[in-house]
Each structure stands twice: as C-alpha cells, then as structure tokens.
Amino acid sequence: MPALRFPNRRRFLQTLGVSGAAAALAGCSGGGGSGDSTSTAGGGGGGTEASGGGTTEATATSGGGNASTEGGNASEETQQSGGQRTVGGNYIAGSSTDAQTLNFIQVSDVPSSNRIGLALDSAYAITTENEVFPLWLDLESGPDNRVYTANLRDNLQWGGDYGQMTAEDWVYMIKNVYQTEDNWAAYSNRGDWQREGEFIPVEKTGKLSFEIRLPNPDPAFPLKPILWGAFCMPKGLLEQYVPDKDLEGLQQDEEISTLAYSGNLGPYSFERWDREAAFVATRNDDYYMRDASDVPAAWQGAPYFDQYTYRVIGEQSTRLSALQANEITTTAIPSTQVSQFEGSDDTSVVVAPQPFCSQLIYNRRANSVFAEGFRSTAVRRALAYAVDKQLILENILNGYGNVAHTFQPQFSDFYDDSQVEQFGVGDTFSMEQARSELQSALGDTPYAYEGGQVVNENGNQVTLTLVYTTGSQTTETTCKYFKQQFEKLGFAVSLTAVRFNTLLDKYVTNSPTNGNFGDEEGDWSAGPFNAGERTDSVSPEQWDMMYGIVFNTYPRTPTSTDVFWQRETSTNFFGYYPEANLNELYSRASTATDQQTRQQALASIFGALSKEQANLFTNMGVDIIGYQPNVVGPDETFGFGWDDNIWYFDEA
Amino acid sequence: MGMGWYVARRVAWAGVVTFVILTITFVLLDAAPNAGLAQVQFQAAQSGQSAEAAAEAFRARRGLQGPLWERYLDYLTNLASGDWGWSDTRSQPVSEAILTAIPYSMMYGAPSIVLSTIIGMGIGLYSAVHQYERSDYVATLAAFFGVSIPNFWFGIVLLLVFSVQLNWFPVLFDAQIATNRTFSLANLHQLVLPIVVLMTSALAGNARYARAEALEYVQAEFVKTARAKGATGWRMLTRHILRPTLVPLSTLLVGDLLGLILTASYLIEVVFGIPGLGFLSYQAIINQDTALVLGTTLIPVFIAVIGNLLQDIAYTVLDPRISYGDR
C-alpha cells in the first residue's frame, strides 16, 4: 500500500484516498498490508507514488534514512536534552515513482508533496493524538467553531528577497490563486476553499494573523485538508503571474521549480533533482524551529539527518534488494515479502494502521444482473455470512491488516463496538446460515433458490461478474476466494481483471446515456461517479461485484465519508440507498459542537452501515515499512510520521 | 543518379515519414482515455469536491484545453522554432529531458553493443570453422541461454547474487557518479551488471547469426580458392569469410543500434534504476505526457529512417557489386 507520508501533510492522505493500498498501479504493491488494492494516487504512478501507482512512495516517506551516509558526514552533538540525538547521515527513502512538479499549487500526487515537504514545513501538523502541532502557524478556534484565526510565527523568512512570511502572503495567495472563479492557476484543490458553492471568506487581521470565517460551525476544520499541511508562496513571487493569469509562467518559474523561496521554512534545503533518479535535500542550518520556544526541545535541533534523499527505484525487487544491501534507509514492503525481513538484524519492520478499507462492492444499478438482490438488505446480510474474513486476513494477507466490519477502523474514536454488527468471523461465518438466510431473503426479489442454485425470473442460474484490478496477487487470490464462496451459495461467478484506470473509466463512472432503462426517477447528478438514480444511470460496462479499490475512511474526520453512503453524493457509484437516515446523522455530526454528540451520530452511522451491510467490508489495511535498524522514530501508530523531523540515526 | 541524390531523397523522405508518425501519435494520444484525468476526478469526488472542476484544472495544467487541431498546430509551430515543448510530468523542457536521458542509456548500451558485436561475431566465426566440435556445442548452448533468458529476470538474479549476497556491485545506479565521473572506475563498477545483462542477449544473437552466415562461406568456392592460393588461419577468416558475412550482419548491427535508441532496454533501466531513454519514453506514454511522448518518438523515428539509409550505404562499402544507379 502506498503509503502516506506524513500526517503533517494531510493532503497526502486525501490524495491516496481511494486507494489504499496499493500501489498496485505501478506494479509495486508496495507496502502495506493491503498493498494489494489499487489506489487512485498515482501511480503512477503513480503512485503512484500510487499508484502506483504508486505509492510505495507514501511509504517511502515514512521514513527512511540511510546510515550509510555518502561521504561520512561528521556528527554534531546537538543541544538535545538527554544528548541522545546527533546530526548525521543521509536518510534515503526508496520510492517507486518520481515527483511531477515542485509547484505545490498544482500538485496532485504524493511523491511531489513529499519532496516539497522537505523544504517547506507547512502550516501545522496533526499529532497521533489528533492535536494541532504548530509549525509555521497556530490555529485558534473561535467560541462557535466557525471563525478560525491563524497566527504566524514571527521568525519565518522567505528565501531570496521576499523577506518575512506574513499574513499578507497567505491572504494574497488564497484570494488570488485558490479562490478565483476561473481557477487560472489550475489549483488542484480549489474545492477545499469553498463551502456550499461559495468561497470561504479569509481576511488579514494583523501582520501575522488572518481569519477564516466558515459559513457554519465546523469543529473538525483543523483536521481537514485545508490549512493542515498547507504550503504558502511569497506574495512578491506570485505577483509576477497573478495580474496576467500567467499559468505557463507559473509552471516554469525557476524559483518555484527549485524551491528557492523556501528560506528558513523547512528542515532541509533543496539541493538537486535528478529526474527519475534522485531528489536530494540538505540540512537547513537556518531552520526556524531553532528559535521556537513552544515546542519540545528535540525540535530545536532538528533535523537530525545531514541529507534527505528520495531515490526512484521503479522495480519493487530492486527496492527491496537495496534495503537489504543497506543502500537505502527505508521502503515499503509488500505483505507477500515481509517474511524475508522479519527477524532480520539488518532491517526493522514497522506495521502501522492505515485508514483504507477494502470491501466487496455490490452494484445496485440497473446494469447488474442481480441488482434487485443487492438492493435488499436481507440479501446482503445473508451474503455476509458466506465470507470468512479471518481467513482472508490470515491466509491471503499473511496476517497484515485488521478485519473490518464497517467503514471505520476500530482505533477510530467514532467506532462503537456496541453498535457495529459483525459478520464473517467466528460463528457469524456459516455457509449454512448464509444459504438459509439467502433463501428466505430472495422471497422478496425476482430471484429464487432452486436446486441449490440462485436463479432469475427465467429460471436460469444467476451469473455474477466480479471485476477487480490487476497488479496484485493478493487481490486476485481474494477474488478467487469470493468466487468459490459465492458458487457454494448457488451463484455462478465470472472474474474480470482490468487495469485500475479501466476500472474507473468503464465500471465506476456512470451516466444515464449508457442505457435506456425507462425508469428515470429524477434528473439530479452528483458528478460522473453518481450521475443519477440507480435505475437510470449505469456504467459503460456491466458488472455485479467489484474488489481492489479501497476507500479512505477518514478516521479523523469521518463526516467526510458521507460522499460514499448517501443517495445523491459524489462517490456512491454502486447505487447504495441507505435505510437508516444517514443524511440526518451526517448533518448532525458535521455541525455538532460537542464531541459526544458527534461521536454518537457517527457511531450510529457506522453501526447502520454494518447492519445494512452496505458493502461487504473485509479488512482495514496497514502500512508495512522496512527501515535500517538504526533509525529512531518510527512507531506503529496511525499517523506516525508527523514528527519525522526529529527522527535520527542511533549512533550506538 | 549518384549516391548524393539518393541520400538527399532519402533524408527528405525521412522528414515526411516523421511528420506522418508524429501526427498519428498526437491524434492517438488525444483519443486515448487519460488515466491521470480519471484518477484526479475520482480523488476529487471522494474528497467531496467537484469532479468536473478537478478535470478542468487537470486539463489546464496539462495543456489539454482547446481543439485538437489548434494544439497540434501550436506544437508544430513551436517545434519549427526549436521548442520541443514542456514536460508536464517532469517539469522541465522536453529537449532537456531527452538530452539528460540519452547519455545514461548510451553508457551501458554502447559498451554492450561493441562488446556483444565483437565477442558475438568472434564466437560465431569460431563456431563456424569448428562446426560440430565440442567448442561449437558449448558456444551454441551459451548462445541459446543468452537468447532465452529474460533480461528482466536475469537482471534481478544478478542483483541478488552479486550485489545483495556477494556485495561486489552496488544495487542502485548513481546518476551523480554517471554524470560527474562518467569515465571513472566507479561508474564502470555500477554499469557492469547492466552491460552484462544487455550484452548477454545481444551477444547470443550476434553469435548465432554470424555462425549461420559464416557457414555459407566456409565451404564456398572462393574460400577454397583462397585456401588453395595459400591463405590460412586469420587472413582467410577475416578477409575471405568475415567480409561477405558482414553484409547481412550489418542489418543486424543497425538493428542493435536502433533497438538501443528506440527502446533503450526499458526493462534493464527499470531493474537497475537507470534514468535512461527507455524509461523516459515509457513513463511519458504511461503518464500521457504528450510533448514528451512526441519528443521521444521524434528521435527514434528519424534515426530509424536514417539508420536504414546508413545500412544501405554500408552495403555498397561492403559489397562493391551493389550500386545506387537504379534506385
């Protein structure tokens, strides 16, 4: 699975969103337990660094370093309490894909964000306890969680002649680059700066402070990818391009493409970028954190590597060989390869929870041969008894991951065990019960159970098409297991493997023009992935079940999951219409100002998803990352990496 | 009609062919579903943003706005003025991307071609004059091994054995060493394995072709005549057998060169992490980086045509019976 780089760059999480694991795109199911599904990121490529793929990148970011410093850098004792940390070494992260640009305005891939993040710290980070950790600025919430004030540090200096970073720089960029009607700068995430179709008002309130005025209370605002992980560019630099809306000039600007404006704003300074080979940054001796008094002492001596390098290594086996040969400090490890690293004195393996959920997705749109079956909650609940989730986890994923029962990981604050109904583990895995409940449930549908077979109105056995993404052995094996179990239930199942992009183009997108089912009930559209009623809008290719695409469960801001589970939301391509009133619950959770109300509403949502078996949730993925054993810092907590600036090599 | 006119016509023809292929490539790229676009849209949708707006921003970033003919015309105009375009997926000019990548490919490609040609032909000739002897069987076995073994797999095995286990060679290719210390032992050290892998298949092919061609002449009348006149050993081999053998083999050599430039052993570059032309070309196609795809297409197409021309000219040098009077 691709990995996330650090939580302090929330954008990455978002970018990986659909994905998950995998990196399969780039043929590098890189790290991660699930390392098997496919991600929208990248991959590319990319991935990815996902996707490709990519994606291994994400992982790569998570760490990495290389004790094997190039040229034996002298170590330097820092004023670190305890005196444990020393500066030295070259931290080398093996990545499957390279960055595409260093212009963060146009970044839409993880590798690019990771590299920029070395020279630019971003607004603030989020700790593993889900608290804001001020980097460039601190975010102060108003009493109603509607107005947020950003207070910048007073020692932030741009490179070149751009002087001090001030609120003017932020407000100018937000208003003239992010919040423009024509989006002349081709900003990748303009929607982040909008609410209900309108731009969020942003005003300077002082030399070093500015306000963000939300139209409605949003207590989760700090945890959303708006200011979290946000970068900034000096006004003086942008002014060269804003008046003429010069996109080409912005794309090809030398200062932007070498991060020359980064000044003291990041732990490292850009040194060179050899495309498709290496990105090298060297320790920034002027790092602003040296003077910060509101951070733990370790930050004042950060960073602790002389050099931070991303090495692009397209082939997974070569990356793993490089890790074994100590030529890189870290890279993602696929679950199928972990055994050769576990127990090794030369590599430490870190397994950290991921927010990505793998699921068997049911197509309830009109082009499924079993659409009316999948629309029935009783049928979906019956099907859930037929799949042994523990078997998938242990025998296919080699134990890397966690069983999923709903669209939220168990470590989430919003997961309530008492509300979640479990299927497919222990006694709730039962083929007999599955058959019996299915037989009963089919009574309300046009299908029937005859002679041990599920048949349609014409008496013919129902043949389900299970489409999945290529590039991952574990995905393919899991699909073969699904096929086996569903055939035991009385279905015929055919498997169709497609590339991830084909999956998106031919199976996920849908449109009323793809078929004429004469059953149109409305004229709404939530975009290309939910372009209308399920009785009307269908994908170009027929399918019944889908596997290999994983979704972000947003455990920090779970209200963001509404895009998947409501009738008219943007990513409900599978036509799920909930029986529970999720709309009301999401609305309550989004605006509640007290944590208890939010937790209750969200716990009810995730409980309902499990009871209704919205899809067959199988497992939550994990990141599996290999490090040289002398790297101190990585741990196995969700979001771990936010403080990678204070990681170091153990010289002992 | 002399060779000058013939060459001029062929060069002009190369320009026409290149233009046609460029046009087809441009149209096909535009017609192909854009993977990046689909992903950007889905990312936007799943994070609650507008997929349409995300698609529009993506097209703007990648220069995909406006009608096809207009974009193509712009491209040709820029090309005519020496501007090969901007690579959106590498954030650098296309010409710079190509000029950076070519030396990396040449560093392992050129030595492997030279070595595989010399050694391969040597083995082939030796096998021909020692047909059905034990050494011929050994050479044949080695040749079939070289032809059969996949470069990709062979490269990984060599890395595991010689880099990970024995630690004789580095796993990773260091572009800085290659750039700053091209003619150094350190660079040679990191290029040994890629050269060996690429050479293995090329050498095997050369040896088999050389053997087959040489066998045609080993018992030829003119060779017997030369032998009767006292030619022996080395002289007979090089002057009387090798020269006629080289005529068809020259086609093979041009093929080798084109193979290097066209595909630049993409698989080898992936396995060894060499940022060469093959890798560049592949990534450009995968990422649908139009300007870069066209740039990496332009060069090999032109060279392919010129290469064929050189091959024809080589025929006249190697075989005086061939003339261009009738062409």
Side-chain angles (χ1 to χ4, degrees):
Chain A
M1 274 170 228
L4 331 174
R5 172 170 161 110
F6 303 128
N8 62 348
R9 311 202 224 296
R10 169 84 159 86
R11 174 70 53 215
F12 312 164
L13 272 175
Q14 183 194 16
T15 303
L16 290 178
V18 195
S19 63
L25 268 187
C28 36
S29 28
S34 59
D36 321 4
S37 311
T38 309
S39 151
T40 50
T48 73
E49 254 156 283
S51 189
T55 350
T56 333
E57 165 84 11
T59 337
T61 12
S62 300
N66 184 0
S68 75
T69 68
E70 294 177 348
N73 306 294
S75 292
E76 164 194 336
E77 285 289 332
T78 61
Q79 302 167 357
Q80 172 61 31
S81 60
Q84 295 300 311
R85 287 182 168 82
T86 56
V87 176
N90 183 8
Y91 186 88
I92 305 176
S95 166
S96 64
T97 50
D98 200 4
Q100 296 191 353
T101 176
L102 298 183
N103 179 348
F104 64 79
I105 295 171
Q106 299 176 345
V107 161
S108 60
D109 62 299
V110 178
S112 298
S113 296
N114 285 348
R115 283 148 182 81
I116 294 168
L118 293 178
L120 295 175
D121 240 357
S122 83
Y124 59 84
I126 299 295
T127 70
T128 49
E129 285 77 40
N130 294 342
E131 291 171 352
V132 170
F133 183 89
L135 293 172
W136 289 343
L137 59 83
D138 198 3
L139 198 60
E140 184 183 329
S141 168
D144 61 352
N145 290 312
R146 197 178 67 78
V147 178
Y148 287 87
T149 304
N151 297 304
L152 290 161
R153 293 180 188 277
D154 61 5
N155 64 339
L156 305 174
Q157 292 292 328
W158 298 110
D161 299 326
Y162 297 112
Q164 183 181 3
M165 178 195 279
T166 65
E168 180 68 21
D169 294 310
W170 282 88
V171 174
Y172 184 84
M173 182 184 69
I174 292 167
K175 289 190 170 179
N176 293 284
V177 177
Y178 294 171
Q179 298 186 334
T180 57
E181 291 298 339
D182 56 359
N183 197 15
W184 68 269
Y187 176 48
S188 311
N189 300 289
R190 191 176 64 142
D192 285 346
W193 286 97
Q194 290 178 311
R195 284 285 190 281
E196 299 164 0
E198 299 292 327
F199 291 125
I200 300 171
V202 178
E203 295 298 335
K204 191 175 98 170
T205 53
K207 182 185 176 189
L208 297 177
S209 63
F210 60 97
E211 270 185 3
I212 299 162
R213 297 176 171 275
L214 304 177
N216 296 304
D218 185 358
F221 177 80
L223 303 178
K224 291 182 175 173
I226 302 172
L227 273 185
W228 174 18
F231 301 123
C232 188
M233 229 178 254
K235 179 183 177 185
L237 178 52
L238 287 172
E239 278 178 331
Q240 300 172 44
Y241 307 108
V242 167
D244 296 331
K245 300 187 174 183
D246 181 4
L247 172 60
E248 189 176 317
L250 189 69
Q251 285 179 313
Q252 301 182 15
D253 184 283
E254 182 71 16
E255 283 185 288
I256 294 174
S257 60
T258 57
L259 298 168
Y261 61 90
S262 61
N264 72 347
L265 302 175
Y268 299 92
S269 300
F270 172 87
E271 181 171 311
R272 68 172 192 274
W273 178 18
D274 301 326
R275 267 65 165 188
E276 302 295 346
F279 179 95
V280 180
T282 51
R283 188 169 185 265
N284 186 350
D285 291 328
D286 300 322
Y287 186 36
Y288 69 92
M289 275 292 185
R290 304 282 156 72
D291 303 325
S293 56
D294 59 340
V295 293
W299 284 83
Q300 294 165 1
Y304 295 93
F305 306 125
D306 281 327
Q307 204 169 69
Y308 199 117
T309 301
Y310 281 103
R311 288 295 306 265
V312 181
I313 312 165
E315 168 54 27
Q316 176 179 281
S317 61
T318 309
R319 283 196 303 277
L320 298 180
S321 295
L323 182 64
Q324 285 179 308
N326 292 342
E327 289 188 33
I328 59 175
T329 313
T330 181
T331 196
I333 303 175
S335 61
T336 50
Q337 305 281 324
V338 186
S339 56
Q340 60 181 292
F341 291 94
E342 281 180 324
S344 163
D345 292 337
D346 299 326
T347 311
S348 67
V349 176
V350 169
V351 181
Q354 261 201 351
F356 298 106
C357 181
S358 294
Q359 53 191 302
L360 181 66
I361 299 168
Y362 302 127
N363 183 13
R364 282 147 278 216
R365 294 186 179 272
N367 65 342
S368 165
V369 299
F370 196 61
E372 290 178 70
F374 289 140
R375 289 173 191 171
S376 160
T377 299
V379 169
R380 295 196 303 269
R381 287 173 60 90
L383 297 176
Y385 285 106
V387 173
D388 186 344
K389 297 177 184 177
Q390 200 64 41
L391 180 144
I392 292 174
L393 181 64
E394 297 300 332
N395 294 2
I396 300 177
L397 300 176
N398 298 312
Y400 290 97
N402 297 290
V403 165
H405 294 291
T406 186
F407 195 63
Q408 195 69 183
Q410 296 194 24
F411 65 76
S412 163
D413 291 340
F414 306 95
Y415 182 98
D416 183 347
D417 214 27
S418 68
Q419 301 219 35
V420 173
E421 187 171 356
Q422 300 192 351
F423 290 86
V425 291
D427 293 341
T428 58
F429 165 64
S430 165
M431 290 306 293
E432 280 183 21
Q433 187 159 4
R435 284 192 200 93
S436 121
E437 297 221 1
L438 184 60
Q439 190 160 18
S440 165
L442 288 177
D444 297 329
T445 71
Y447 314 98
Y449 229 146
E450 288 180 8
Q453 293 186 342
V454 178
V455 297
N456 59 21
E457 292 165 301
N458 301 322
N460 298 321
Q461 186 179 24
V462 173
T463 300
L464 301 175
T465 300
L466 169 53
V467 58
Y468 66 96
T469 51
T470 56
S472 162
Q473 186 59 50
T474 53
T475 294
E476 184 176 341
T477 307
T478 306
C479 287
K480 286 178 178 172
Y481 172 69
F482 288 139
K483 173 180 164 73
Q484 169 193 299
Q485 296 304 97
F486 276 72
E487 286 181 342
K488 283 181 184 173
L489 273 181
F491 294 96
V493 179
S494 70
L495 299 179
T496 302
V498 297
R499 288 174 58 87
F500 183 62
N501 299 320
T502 305
L503 190 84
L504 287 182
D505 280 338
K506 302 293 184 187
Y507 297 89
V508 174
T509 59
N510 55 78
S511 162
T513 60
N514 289 329
N516 181 13
F517 296 91
D519 208 3
E520 191 171 353
E521 294 174 8
D523 57 359
W524 57 269
S525 171
F529 307 110
N530 185 8
E533 292 291 340
R534 65 189 184 186
T535 50
D536 184 47
S537 182
V538 299
S539 55
E541 297 289 335
Q542 189 274 330
W543 63 283
D544 302 296
M545 299 186 291
M546 182 183 290
Y547 190 75
I549 181 170
V550 297
F551 297 141
N552 195 336
T553 58
Y554 297 104
R556 285 177 164 130
T557 57
T559 51
S560 302
T561 61
D562 66 334
V563 295
F564 299 109
W565 308 116
Q566 296 189 70
R567 183 184 183 124
E568 297 181 20
T569 49
S570 59
T571 322
N572 185 359
F573 62 90
F574 35 83
Y576 169 61
Y577 294 174
E579 292 178 7
N581 190 351
L582 299 191
N583 188 28
E584 195 275 327
L585 289 169
Y586 271 117
S587 176
R588 192 193 313 164
S590 299
T591 54
T593 52
D594 67 293
Q595 182 72 351
Q596 192 180 3
T597 306
R598 292 184 70 221
Q599 277 180 326
Q600 285 175 347
L602 287 162
S604 298
I605 290 170
F606 299 122
L609 291 177
S610 71
K611 292 183 181 81
E612 294 184 21
Q613 284 295 296
N615 281 321
L616 202 163
F617 306 105
T618 55
N619 65 282
M620 298 296 305
V622 289
D623 264 330
I624 310 174
I625 306 162
Y627 294 95
Q628 294 302 320
N630 62 339
V631 177
V632 182
D635 61 34
E636 302 197 327
T637 312
F638 172 64
F640 77 95
W642 70 274
D643 60 349
D644 61 320
N645 286 351
I646 59 171
W647 292 5
Y648 62 100
F649 290 128
D650 183 2
E651 301 293 340
Chain B
M1 195 178 299
M3 187 186 290
W5 174 239
Y6 174 76
V7 170
R9 281 174 50 210
R10 287 287 298 270
V11 170
W13 184 236
V16 174
V17 170
T18 304
F19 173 77
V20 170
I21 291 179
L22 269 189
T23 307
I24 293 172
T25 306
F26 196 97
V27 172
L28 286 179
L29 270 177
D30 190 71
N34 194 309
L37 180 62
Q39 290 180 23
V40 162
Q41 284 184 290
F42 198 64
Q43 283 171 22
Q46 65 91 38
S47 58
Q49 297 185 28
S50 162
E52 287 83 357
E56 201 174 319
F58 179 85
R59 289 194 192 94
R61 287 198 297 275
R62 302 289 289 268
L64 298 173
Q65 291 175 315
L68 176 66
W69 66 267
E70 196 174 290
R71 283 183 278 129
Y72 187 48
L73 206 60
D74 283 348
Y75 176 77
L76 290 182
T77 308
N78 291 335
L79 193 62
S81 62
D83 178 2
W84 287 39
W86 179 262
S87 167
D88 300 303
T89 58
R90 294 168 61 100
S91 296
Q92 67 178 165
V94 167
S95 53
E96 184 183 330
I98 293 172
L99 289 173
T100 305
I102 286 177
Y104 294 130
S105 293
M106 297 302 291
M107 277 177 213
Y108 71 91
S112 67
I113 285 180
V114 171
L115 289 172
S116 63
T117 302
I118 295 173
I119 299 173
M121 289 196 177
I123 292 175
L125 288 175
Y126 180 86
S127 289
V129 296
H130 296 85
Q131 191 180 16
Y132 303 136
E133 294 180 12
R134 183 170 296 175
S135 54
D136 179 33
Y137 288 127
V138 171
T140 301
L141 180 67
F144 279 124
F145 172 81
V147 169
S148 308
I149 195 164
N151 279 353
F152 190 73
W153 180 84
F154 191 41
I156 291 173
V157 168
L158 290 186
L159 277 179
L160 287 174
V161 174
F162 293 102
S163 298
V164 177
Q165 297 300 325
L166 299 176
N167 206 21
W168 289 0
F169 301 101
V171 175
L172 300 178
F173 177 81
D174 189 330
Q176 280 295 299
I177 292 178
T179 304
N180 299 331
R181 293 187 283 158
T182 306
F183 299 101
S184 66
L185 280 177
N187 197 26
L188 179 63
H189 188 220
Q190 67 175 351
L191 288 171
V192 166
L193 294 184
I195 290 173
V196 167
V197 174
L198 185 60
M199 197 178 73
T200 305
S201 57
L203 182 149
N206 282 338
R208 294 306 295 170
Y209 278 117
R211 180 181 181 277
E213 288 299 327
L215 279 175
E216 283 189 28
Y217 301 107
V218 167
Q219 298 302 326
E221 294 300 323
F222 63 87
V223 172
K224 289 179 182 173
T225 303
R227 192 174 284 134
K229 288 170 68 179
T232 57
W234 181 252
R235 179 178 179 82
M236 190 182 67
L237 197 65
T238 54
R239 298 293 176 84
H240 300 283
I241 297 178
L242 178 62
R243 185 168 178 181
T245 299
L246 278 178
V247 174
L249 282 182
S250 63
T251 307
L252 191 68
L253 293 178
V254 172
D256 278 349
L257 185 61
L258 293 181
L260 168 68
I261 294 175
L262 285 169
T263 64
S265 302
Y266 162 71
L267 293 178
I268 286 179
E269 293 184 357
V270 167
V271 170
F272 292 99
I274 300 172
L277 197 58
F279 195 68
L280 176 73
S281 171
Y282 176 79
Q283 291 292 343
I285 294 169
I286 291 298
N287 295 325
Q288 289 183 264
D289 187 335
T290 306
L292 195 53
V293 171
L294 293 174
T296 52
T297 303
L298 191 63
I299 290 183
V301 165
F302 195 76
I303 288 178
V305 180
I306 299 298
N308 278 321
L309 173 63
L310 292 176
Q311 170 189 315
D312 288 349
I313 294 171
Y315 282 165
T316 67
V317 175
L318 293 166
D319 189 344
R321 292 170 301 177
I322 298 174
S323 80
Y324 288 90
D326 300 332
R327 301 193 179 203

